[in-house]
Amino acid sequence: MKLSLSALVLSCLCFFIPISHAEISIKKCQSNQSDYIIFDEYDAKIAEKIIDYKLHDQPEKRENSIIQIFANENSDDRNDWLASFLFDDESEQYLFYQVEQDEFIEIDKKQFETLLPKIVECNQNKQVPIYSENFDAD
């Protein structure tokens, strides 16, 4: 009896896990006090890490995908990164990355749309990604 009850509880948990959304905590951003945006080698490595996580060793897919990565323009307050990938088959995937925790979280479009305004809240131009490939902002 205990075994069947345990199996029932375990199967219920397995059913709910894939459809649950992770609670993502983002602290209030700090505005960029400078007249320019700093995007240095450290930031480039983070952007590359995000792209590699999603497209690891798929250069053709990368070349044919629109990649947009958003973060705070203030380089001193750039822990939360949000990426969107639009593939040549018109499918989309989204990824959230926190630098301090070194944690990637696969998210859906709804979560992306919820998180994006929080991440770019302090940016002067909220529409333009801090890094992109194969994307023309004009």
Side-chain angles (χ1 to χ4, degrees):
M1 181 70 177
K2 283 187 178 182
L3 183 60
S4 62
L5 182 58
S6 297
L8 178 63
V9 169
L10 185 60
S11 65
C12 288
L13 285 174
C14 290
F15 176 74
F16 288 111
I17 289 172
I19 58 173
S20 68
H21 291 329
E23 182 65 32
I24 297 174
S25 175
I26 297 177
K27 66 179 181 149
K28 178 84 171 129
C29 63
Q30 298 174 18
S31 296
N32 190 13
Q33 301 302 317
S34 177
D35 291 335
Y36 51 90
I37 299 170
I38 297 172
F39 189 87
D40 59 16
E41 186 177 335
Y42 177 75
D43 297 311
K45 286 181 182 178
I46 293 172
E48 195 62 37
K49 184 175 186 172
I50 291 168
I51 294 167
D52 282 347
Y53 179 87
K54 182 55 77 177
L55 299 176
H56 40 272
D57 298 326
Q58 298 180 62
E60 289 178 18
K61 191 170 188 175
R62 180 175 180 167
E63 189 175 299
N64 295 314
S65 300
I66 297 174
I67 302 167
Q68 297 180 71
I69 300 176
F70 297 88
N72 188 345
E73 290 176 349
N74 180 354
S75 62
D76 295 328
D77 184 33
R78 212 175 270 161
N79 181 52
D80 303 317
W81 296 64
L82 196 58
S84 71
F85 298 84
L86 175 61
F87 302 110
D88 57 356
D89 66 357
E90 299 299 314
S91 66
E92 292 178 281
Q93 292 184 8
Y94 305 94
L95 188 64
F96 177 74
Y97 177 65
Q98 288 186 309
V99 175
E100 290 173 6
Q101 293 83 354
D102 192 25
E103 179 181 20
F104 289 98
I105 301 173
E106 302 270 348
I107 60 174
D108 60 24
K109 185 173 186 161
K110 183 178 179 184
Q111 288 173 302
F112 177 85
E113 290 171 348
T114 300
L115 293 171
L116 182 60
K118 295 176 184 177
I119 289 177
V120 300
E121 179 179 356
C122 295
N123 294 0
Q124 288 183 353
N125 188 335
K126 296 167 181 34
Q127 314 297 310
V128 178
I130 197 160
Y131 180 84
S132 64
E133 290 184 8
N134 308 315
F135 173 74
D136 185 10
D138 296 332

